[in-house]
Amino acid sequence: MFGLTKKDTTLLLIVACLTMFAPFILNPFPEGSAMAQFNAGYPDLMQRLVIFGIFAIGFNILFGLTGYLSFGHAAFLGVGSYAAIWMMKLLTMNVIPAIMVSVLIAGLFSLLVGWISLRRSGIYFSILTLAFAQMSYSLAYSVLTPITGGETGLQPKVNDPRILDSALEPGQNPRANLFGLEMNQSYELAMGGWVFTFNAGYYIAALVMLLAFYLSIRIFRSPFGMMLRAVKSNQQRLNYTGLNAKPYTLAAFVISGMYAGLAGGLLVAMDTQVGAERMFWTASGEVVLMTILGGAGTLIGPVLGAGFIKYMENIVSKINKTVLEQWFAFMPDGIEDFIITIVYPFVGKGWHLTLGLLFMMVVIFLPGGLVQGGQKVAGLFRRKKPADDKPDGKTTPAE
Amino acid sequence: MDALLLQILNGLDKGSAYALIALGLTLIFGTLGVVNFAHGALFMIGAFCAVTLSRLLNLSHEVAVPGEVDFLGNPMMRDVPYIYDIFGETMGASIIDWSVPLSILFAIPIMVGIGFAMERGLIKHFYKRPHADQILVTFGLAIVLQEIIKYFYGANPIPTPAPAAFTGSFDFGAMLGFDPNTIIYPYWRLVYFAFSAVIIGAVFAFLQFTTFGMVVRAGMADRETVGLLGINIDKRFTIMFGIAAAVAGLAGVMYAPINSPNYHMGMDFLVLSFVVVVVGGMGSLSGAVLAGFLLGILESFASMAIVLETLPGINQIIIYLVAIIILLTRPRGLMGRKGVMEE
C-alpha cells in the first residue's frame, strides 16, 4: 500500500493509529485519581509531541542517513516560525499559507547554510552549523528586531493588516484557523471518570506528521536514501567511484531544514507567538538528543525520542516534593525521607539531570537508541539473535 | 590612539578566558583526539569552586555580644565565622576577603581529580568511536554536570567579589601620558590577564622543557610509535587530561569576580571556545592562545560605538563570522599543522 513494503505499511498504520487515538492512549488514568498527573492527553502537550516528532524525523534524514551531525537545526525551526508569523500578520490567520511559506523560507535558508557548511565534514561541519545558528540567534535577538521583535518576540496584533481576512469585530482577537476551524477548538468527551479532549489543532498537526513520516519512509527506501547511506559508510570510496556526494548531502540538508521549517510553522499555528530563544543552540541540541535517544537511522526512533523527551519535559518536571511525599506516604518516616531525598534531584526542576544521564547511557551502551533497546528485549523473548531478521540495516547504530 | 588601547585592554580579559579554555580544549584534542563538549562545564565547575570556598569560609556560629542586651534582657547575638575563632578576627577577615585567589589551591586538586575521573571513567572508552559519538557523550555529560551544579547552588548568579585590594579601577591612561579618565581599567581584569599569561606560560614551559612534556609532544605527533618504545603513553595522556581540566577550572575560578558564576556559564563559553580552537587550528596550542586573544580583542573593537553605527549588531556575530570565513578559506586554522583534521 502507498508504494511501501508490507512491513513499512504496518509501521505507518501503527503510527497512524497511535496518533489518531492519542487522546485516549495518553489519558490512561481517570480524572482526579492520584495518577492523573501522568496523563498527557491535553492539547498543548499532544501538539508538541507531534510537532517535535516532525522536527526529529527531518533531523534524522540528515543525521541518520548521512551521519552529518548538525548542531544548528533550531535556526531553521526559528526561521520557519518567523516566516509563519509574518504570513499571519500580513496575509491571513489561516494556517495553510503560513505553513507553506515557513517550509519554503526554511528551505531557502537551509540551502544557503548547507551550501556553505557542507564544504567541511565531521567536527568542522558541526561547528559551522553551530556558528550559523548562533549567528542567526544573535541577529534575531538584536539587530533584526524590526523583523523579529527582539527579546519580546512576535505575536499577531489586533491592528495587523491581514489583507485577506475580513475585519475583526470589536473585542475579537485574531486566532489561527484553518478555513474557519479554529486551532484551539476542542471537543471534550466525558466517559466515566475520564475526560478525553479532541483538539482540532492536534489533529491537523498529527495529519501533517503522518504525511511527513510517510515521506521519510519513502526517502529511506529510495535510491536517494541508499546514496545517503553510502555517504555515511564511506564518502571517500564513493568519491573514487566518480560520484559527487555533495548534491546528495545538500539535498538531504535542505530536506531536513524544510522539515524543521514545517515544525516551526506548525508551532506558530498552534501557539501564535515566536521568541528568539527558539533558535538558541541548546534547542538544536535538544533535537539531537531526541533523535539519538530514539534511535538515529531508524524510521520510528526520532518520533519516539521526541515524544519521550517532550513527555518527560512536561510530566516529570511537574513532580514536586509534595507529590513525592504523597507517593511514599505509606512508608515509615525515615525511609520515606531517605527515598524522597534520593529521588527529588531527578524529578521536577531537575528533570534535565535525568535526561542527561539517560542520554549518556544511550550513547554509551545503546548506540541504536530506544529502538535498538526494544529490539534487544524482543530478541530475548523470541530466543533469536535480534540482528538476524532485520533487513537493510534498520538496526544500524548511530555513528 | 587611546581609544584603540582601551579596546585592546577591554578585549584582554575575555580573550584570556577564551585562550585558557581553548588551550585546555586543544590539549585534549591534540593528545587524545577527543572533542570535549564538557569542557565549558569544567570552566563552570572551576568558578563554583570559588563560590564553594567563599561559602565554607563564611560558615558561622552565633556568639553573644558582651555587654549588650535587647529590651527583653537577652544578650544580643552576632554571627561569627568559624574562621575568626581559628585565625583571629583581622586574619580571618582577610582570609575571607581573599577567598577567590585562595580557591586556586583548592580548585587544582578538585579539577585534576575530576579530569582523571572523566578520562578513566568515560572518555577512555570513546577513543575508537567516531567524533560524533564523542561530541554526543560529552554534551550529555555537560548537561549532567550543569544540572548537578544547579541543584546545589540554584539557578541564580552568585556574586563572588574579588579581594578588596583589587576592587576599583585605576587610571591607565594617566600612567601612559594620555588625558586622565580616558582609559580606566579595573584592577581585577589586569590580574586576570596576568594570571592567564602565567598559566599559559607554565603549560608551554611544562611541555617544552620537561621530559614528561617531551614525551607527550612526541605522543601527540605519533602515539603508536611512542607506545612501541615502551612508554606508557596512556597514563601520560590521562595526566594531560587532568592538567587541561585544571587549566579550564582555574580560568573559571579567576573569572568568578568578573562575571557572577551561574550554572549555564559553561555552555555560553563552550561554543565560543570551540570557535576559538577552530580559528587557531585544531591541535595547535599556540594557535589557540593567539586566536583567543585575537577574537577577544576583535570582539571589543566590534562593540565600539563608531563600528556599531555603521554595522549594527556586528559585536554579536563577529566571532562567528570570523570562524566561518576561516573554516571556509583555511580549514586548518591560523596555526594548525598541515593535514591535522583538514577535511
Side-chain angles (χ1 to χ4, degrees):
Chain A
M1 209 174 17
F2 310 119
L4 298 177
T5 58
K6 206 173 146 205
K7 217 171 155 185
D8 292 334
T9 316
T10 328
L11 184 66
L12 184 66
L13 287 178
I14 291 174
V15 174
C17 289
L18 285 179
T19 45
M20 286 305 125
F21 295 109
F24 294 107
I25 299 166
L26 293 177
N27 244 11
F29 307 110
E31 209 67 15
S33 70
M35 301 295 273
Q37 61 180 322
F38 285 105
N39 282 344
Y42 52 95
D44 190 48
L45 179 53
M46 289 196 300
Q47 287 165 1
R48 278 175 184 274
L49 293 182
V50 293
I51 292 172
F52 279 90
I54 296 175
F55 191 18
I57 291 172
F59 183 79
N60 190 35
I61 290 176
L62 181 70
F63 178 62
L65 286 180
T66 68
Y68 275 79
L69 174 59
S70 157
F71 249 98
H73 256 56
F76 308 129
L77 185 89
V79 166
S81 296
Y82 282 120
I85 201 117
W86 271 108
M87 273 300 114
M88 289 189 170
K89 276 163 117 44
L90 295 177
L91 221 56
T92 164
M93 287 304 285
N94 195 329
V95 296
I96 300 273
I99 290 172
M100 276 161 59
V101 168
S102 65
V103 174
L104 191 72
I105 299 281
L108 288 176
F109 186 57
S110 58
L111 184 65
L112 174 78
V113 173
W115 187 69
I116 299 172
S117 304
L118 283 166
R119 280 151 199 269
R120 302 278 164 261
S121 60
I123 164 87
Y124 284 148
F125 172 80
S126 302
I127 292 176
L128 265 175
T129 46
L130 188 58
F132 270 111
Q134 274 305 85
M135 222 161 83
S136 327
Y137 164 78
S138 301
L139 288 177
Y141 200 78
S142 62
V143 192
L144 298 178
T145 304
I147 308 175
T148 60
E151 292 179 57
T152 40
L154 283 179
Q155 47 205 31
K157 298 264 164 54
V158 178
N159 49 4
D160 285 332
R162 280 189 305 280
I163 337 176
L164 295 183
D165 286 358
S166 50
L168 294 172
E169 294 182 14
Q172 203 182 3
N173 280 324
R175 292 222 182 92
N177 60 59
L178 179 74
F179 305 113
L181 177 69
E182 276 181 13
M183 288 295 131
N184 55 3
Q185 264 178 18
S186 9
Y187 168 71
E188 288 197 346
L189 174 71
M191 263 163 73
W194 282 266
V195 175
F196 301 109
T197 318
F198 301 92
N199 174 263
Y202 167 71
Y203 276 100
I204 291 165
L207 283 175
V208 176
M209 193 204 78
L210 282 180
L211 195 67
F213 188 61
Y214 170 68
L215 271 178
S216 106
I217 301 182
R218 291 302 294 260
I219 290 174
F220 267 66
R221 302 285 177 251
S222 67
F224 170 68
M226 271 322 255
M227 196 59 85
L228 295 182
R229 275 175 226 260
V231 170
K232 181 181 188 173
S233 60
N234 196 331
Q235 194 163 0
Q236 214 159 22
R237 217 174 274 174
L238 199 66
N239 287 337
Y240 290 154
T241 61
L243 263 162
N244 181 8
K246 175 114 190 259
Y248 293 97
T249 44
L250 183 59
F253 193 88
V254 173
I255 291 171
S256 70
M258 286 164 86
Y259 267 78
L262 174 66
L266 278 172
L267 273 180
V268 168
M270 300 306 149
D271 182 12
T272 49
Q273 54 176 0
V274 194
E277 67 287 342
R278 196 168 281 181
M279 302 167 87
F280 197 67
W281 77 274
T282 42
S284 310
E286 197 183 18
V287 74
V288 179
L289 297 186
M290 287 172 181
T291 312
I292 306 283
L293 199 61
T298 61
L299 285 168
I300 187 78
V303 187
L304 287 181
F308 188 80
I309 286 184
K310 283 290 150 189
Y311 181 83
M312 290 261 293
E313 182 181 327
N314 285 275
I315 305 296
V316 179
S317 63
K318 261 191 258 162
I319 304 173
N320 53 21
K321 216 159 201 164
T322 358
V323 177
L324 282 181
E325 274 161 12
Q326 277 170 18
W327 284 1
F328 300 111
F330 64 91
M331 291 177 170
D333 266 353
I335 300 177
E336 185 194 336
D337 288 344
F338 179 68
I339 287 188
I340 289 178
T341 332
I342 289 183
V343 175
Y344 185 61
F346 294 95
V347 296
K349 282 182 186 156
W351 82 274
H352 268 112
L353 181 60
T354 322
L355 179 68
L357 284 173
L358 200 70
F359 178 67
M360 280 175 71
M361 294 293 159
V362 166
V363 177
I364 296 169
F365 300 113
L366 211 62
L370 294 177
V371 169
Q372 195 194 18
Q375 281 166 351
K376 275 193 175 163
V377 171
L380 283 182
F381 286 109
R382 251 185 279 153
R383 292 161 188 273
K384 243 199 298 183
K385 273 184 237 152
D388 276 354
D389 52 349
K390 296 285 177 282
D392 62 60
K394 259 191 83 180
T395 54
T396 314
E399 273 177 29
Chain B
M1 181 61 202
D2 49 347
L4 290 184
L5 193 62
L6 180 65
Q7 294 312 325
I8 292 178
L9 285 173
N10 275 343
L12 282 184
D13 60 319
K14 218 160 195 194
S16 311
Y18 292 162
L20 283 177
I21 306 176
L23 180 70
L25 258 182
T26 209
L27 262 181
I28 293 174
F29 184 80
T31 49
L32 306 168
V34 169
V35 184
N36 182 16
F37 257 52
H39 207 69
L42 294 175
F43 174 73
M44 175 204 59
I45 290 178
F48 276 92
C49 280
V51 173
T52 312
L53 187 71
S54 88
R55 286 199 174 170
L56 282 179
L57 292 180
N58 275 312
L59 279 183
S60 51
H61 58 105
E62 285 192 331
V63 175
V65 183
E68 286 182 41
V69 282
D70 62 9
F71 64 96
L72 286 175
N74 298 321
M76 293 280 275
M77 302 302 272
R78 189 166 68 102
D79 283 342
V80 175
Y82 286 109
I83 194 119
Y84 286 12
D85 302 345
I86 307 170
F87 291 103
E89 190 152 342
T90 4
M91 183 73 181
S94 62
I95 287 181
I96 290 181
D97 187 35
W98 281 75
S99 67
V100 171
L102 282 176
S103 323
I104 294 175
L105 302 173
F106 167 77
I108 290 176
I110 293 186
M111 296 313 299
V112 172
I114 291 177
F116 280 6
M118 243 176 94
E119 205 272 342
R120 285 290 93 184
L122 182 72
I123 310 280
K124 186 177 82 177
H125 309 284
F126 277 79
Y127 291 151
K128 294 275 159 59
R129 288 172 65 171
H131 283 308
D133 275 10
Q134 299 168 354
I135 294 178
L136 292 170
V137 80
T138 47
F139 180 54
L141 182 66
I143 296 178
V144 170
L145 291 176
Q146 174 174 317
E147 289 301 315
I148 291 174
I149 292 290
K150 187 174 151 197
Y151 177 72
F152 284 109
Y153 293 90
N156 296 324
I158 302 163
T160 313
F166 294 113
T167 50
S169 42
F170 70 112
D171 201 331
F172 202 76
M175 275 167 62
L176 296 175
F178 296 114
D179 296 333
N181 290 326
T182 41
I183 304 179
I184 306 279
Y185 203 66
Y187 286 112
W188 187 258
R189 296 192 172 205
L190 209 67
V191 171
Y192 193 78
F193 172 65
F195 174 77
S196 74
V198 168
I199 296 280
I200 291 166
V203 170
F204 274 77
F206 178 69
L207 285 175
Q208 205 65 38
F209 301 125
T210 61
T211 324
F212 187 97
M214 191 184 73
V215 172
V216 168
R217 276 186 295 133
M220 280 165 94
D222 190 342
R223 183 180 185 147
E224 261 182 16
T225 311
V226 175
L228 288 174
L229 289 172
I231 293 168
N232 188 350
I233 193 75
D234 287 352
K235 194 173 140 199
R236 286 161 202 255
F237 279 178
T238 309
I239 295 173
M240 283 319 288
F241 197 99
I243 291 175
V247 168
L250 291 183
V253 169
M254 296 295 271
Y255 203 73
I258 298 179
N259 220 341
S260 307
N262 57 15
Y263 73 102
H264 54 78
M265 67 193 285
M267 288 282 187
D268 299 344
F269 266 90
L270 175 74
V271 179
L272 291 169
S273 51
F274 260 105
V275 166
V276 169
V277 171
V278 167
V279 170
M282 279 272 182
S284 155
L285 295 173
S286 40
V289 173
L290 179 80
F293 283 112
L294 208 65
L295 289 179
I297 292 169
L298 208 59
E299 199 181 12
S300 87
F301 269 112
S303 30
M304 279 166 75
I306 320 168
V307 182
L308 280 179
E309 268 167 34
T310 38
L311 294 163
I314 186 78
N315 58 334
Q316 309 264 350
I317 59 166
I318 178 84
I319 286 190
Y320 304 113
L321 221 52
V322 171
I324 289 167
I325 293 167
I326 291 271
L327 270 174
L328 293 176
T329 54
R330 194 182 155 89
R332 76 173 106 138
L334 293 177
M335 302 187 66
R337 270 171 300 150
K338 197 170 168 55
V340 174
M341 283 291 284
E342 205 173 341
E343 287 168 81

